[in-house]
Amino acid sequence: MAQDGNSGTDLAAADSSNHGHGTEHAVGTAVVATDAVPNPGFPPHRPRVTDLDPKKEKRAERTVYTLFYLSAAGSIWAIAAYMMFPIEPENLASVRTNNLFIGLGLALALLALGIGAVHWGKALMHDREGIDMRHPTRGSVETRERAVEIFAEANEESGFGRRSLIRNSLIGALIAFPLPAVVLFRGLAPEGEDANPVNLLQNTMWKKGDRLARDPSGVPIKASDVTIGSVFHVIPEELANLGHSDGYLEEKAKAIVLLMRLNPEELVEDEDKKDWSYDGIVAYSKVCTHVGCPVALYEQQTHHLLCPCHQSQFDVTNHCAVIFGPAARPLPQLPIAVDDEGYLVAQSDFLEPVGPSFWERH
């Protein structure tokens, strides 16, 4: 006979001879072992030096709130460094200086906040072990009342409500810590009269007579260079001569175009847009109308353009209408023609804003 270590009752092992004589025991019926490992309990509590010496407890408290104050100072320094050491165009040294001093401030803010929180927990908070018994998702009324008591006990044991300097310095550090991020991200937004995204995307560098050129070389493209099934990444010819300090990347981000040639019979063109293409050659903005990712994947057999970011698909044969994905409108089409020398040129700028559709449109 075996005995249940919890209840003390005897348990009988499974016996195959009992078949047909009352209760049957399945093969492999478990038997509770009598030599189960006893619960070792908690080890003896070892008091900390801050538990035994009030002076060291006070010193630990000063250390914690000093670290929190240092964290707040680091956050403030990061904001000040952003303003004191601005990034200057064409000056790489200013980029390094800006990143260095902002990084030092953020590192001090985060490191001091983390060390202070750890030191507070290890040196000052209640450190006796406890057991949390499992219970259903919603506890009984007594359990819920006990939860409120636990919060009160945690407040008392941590000293959060009692140690006002630690509490206030922690709150100050947590308030100051996100401020550098707010300032840095605000600096990325456009400023001045062109701060409105609608105005920024309303016009591009394209204008009547601009030759379509290869990206990034700036070599003009002749209509005879574009064979059926081929794809060209295109920029305005003048853009290749624009310097980075003059807004090269900003202008390219708006004016970039995909040029493709299809069999003219496969194109389904509106009556008012039939003269926007030339002998099956069409040009569409490369900027996805979902969130502005580059639409750069062209499937020659289906004539579909795919945006790799969120899988929007556009039908080139039908004015790049959306056939799948989250994009809200077709890709804007650039009206093109051919000049006297056989080069592809723009008839005008895009007749609608390029880019994402979530901007307010006028």
Side-chain angles (χ1 to χ4, degrees), residues 237-250:
E237 184 180 14
E238 295 180 359
L239 180 62
N241 301 322
L242 197 66
H244 282 268
S245 59
D246 299 323
Y248 172 82
L249 291 179
E250 291 81 358

Side-chain angles (χ1 to χ4, degrees), residues 171-249:
I171 293 174
L174 292 175
I175 292 175
F177 182 70
L179 295 181
V182 174
V183 175
L184 293 177
F185 282 119
R186 175 60 187 88
L188 297 177
E191 300 178 0
E193 297 180 356
D194 294 331
N196 188 340
V198 177
N199 296 334
L200 291 172
L201 300 174
Q202 189 72 41
N203 300 299
T204 71
M205 282 191 67
W206 291 107
K207 60 183 184 295
K208 185 176 182 179
D210 282 348
R211 285 181 175 177
L212 279 65
R214 297 172 185 262
D215 177 31
S217 64
V219 176
I221 302 173
K222 287 188 174 183
S224 57
D225 297 334
V226 187
T227 58
I228 292 181
S230 61
V231 178
F232 289 79
H233 296 260
V234 174
I235 58 175
E237 184 180 14
E238 295 180 359
L239 180 62
N241 301 322
L242 197 66
H244 282 268
S245 59
D246 299 323
Y248 172 82
L249 291 179

Side-chain angles (χ1 to χ4, degrees), residues 14-319:
D15 186 353
S16 60
S17 64
N18 289 336
H19 287 290
H21 301 285
T23 305
E24 293 187 2
H25 299 279
V27 176
T29 299
V31 177
V32 178
T34 58
D35 57 347
V37 178
N39 184 351
F42 291 120
H45 177 67
R46 298 173 57 186
R48 303 164 298 188
V49 292
T50 51
D51 297 328
L52 303 175
D53 189 343
K55 290 184 178 180
K56 292 185 177 180
E57 180 186 15
K58 196 67 178 176
R59 182 186 304 167
E61 182 178 357
R62 288 196 299 268
T63 301
V64 172
Y65 66 67
T66 299
L67 286 168
F68 289 157
Y69 285 138
L70 283 174
S71 175
S75 298
I76 295 172
W77 167 251
I79 298 174
Y82 176 74
M83 301 176 182
M84 294 167 57
F85 305 99
I87 295 177
E88 301 173 0
E90 306 296 335
N91 186 354
L92 292 179
S94 67
V95 177
R96 290 192 291 267
T97 303
N98 179 273
N99 291 344
L100 172 64
F101 287 107
I102 291 178
L104 288 175
L106 293 177
L108 175 61
L110 188 58
L111 189 62
L113 188 62
I115 294 176
V118 171
H119 191 54
W120 182 10
K122 294 183 70 68
L124 296 174
M125 289 186 182
H126 181 77
D127 73 330
R128 290 185 178 274
E129 296 81 2
I131 298 177
D132 265 345
M133 303 303 294
R134 293 182 178 272
H135 57 78
T137 303
R138 188 186 188 281
S140 63
V141 175
E142 294 78 9
T143 302
R144 293 160 67 85
E145 292 176 350
R146 177 56 184 155
V148 175
E149 295 176 4
I150 290 174
F151 276 106
E153 292 174 4
N155 178 51
E156 179 63 27
E157 293 170 354
S158 65
F160 187 81
R162 178 167 46 89
R163 303 181 191 275
S164 59
L165 282 174
I166 288 182
R167 182 185 68 249
N168 296 339
S169 60
L170 172 61
I171 293 174
L174 292 175
I175 292 175
F177 182 70
L179 295 181
V182 174
V183 175
L184 293 177
F185 282 119
R186 175 60 187 88
L188 297 177
E191 300 178 0
E193 297 180 356
D194 294 331
N196 188 340
V198 177
N199 296 334
L200 291 172
L201 300 174
Q202 189 72 41
N203 300 299
T204 71
M205 282 191 67
W206 291 107
K207 60 183 184 295
K208 185 176 182 179
D210 282 348
R211 285 181 175 177
L212 279 65
R214 297 172 185 262
D215 177 31
S217 64
V219 176
I221 302 173
K222 287 188 174 183
S224 57
D225 297 334
V226 187
T227 58
I228 292 181
S230 61
V231 178
F232 289 79
H233 296 260
V234 174
I235 58 175
E237 184 180 14
E238 295 180 359
L239 180 62
N241 301 322
L242 197 66
H244 282 268
S245 59
D246 299 323
Y248 172 82
L249 291 179
E250 291 81 358
E251 293 298 333
K252 181 177 179 179
K254 297 188 296 181
I256 192 72
V257 162
L258 279 177
L259 186 72
M260 296 144 289
R261 188 166 200 163
L262 291 69
N263 188 328
E265 298 177 356
E266 296 178 313
L267 289 176
V268 180
E269 297 180 292
D270 296 339
E271 288 296 327
D272 58 342
K273 296 182 180 179
K274 282 190 174 182
D275 61 344
W276 287 17
S277 62
Y278 177 79
D279 195 22
I281 302 175
V282 290
Y284 287 94
S285 172
K286 188 178 172 181
V287 186
C288 183
T289 54
H290 178 218
V291 291
C293 296
V295 181
L297 302 177
Y298 177 59
E299 212 294 312
Q300 293 180 341
Q301 301 301 318
T302 60
H303 307 302
H304 292 170
L305 281 173
L306 172 67
C307 176
C309 293
H310 305 100
Q311 311 307 309
S312 294
Q313 293 185 28
F314 305 88
D315 185 1
V316 179
T317 63
N318 187 22
H319 297 295

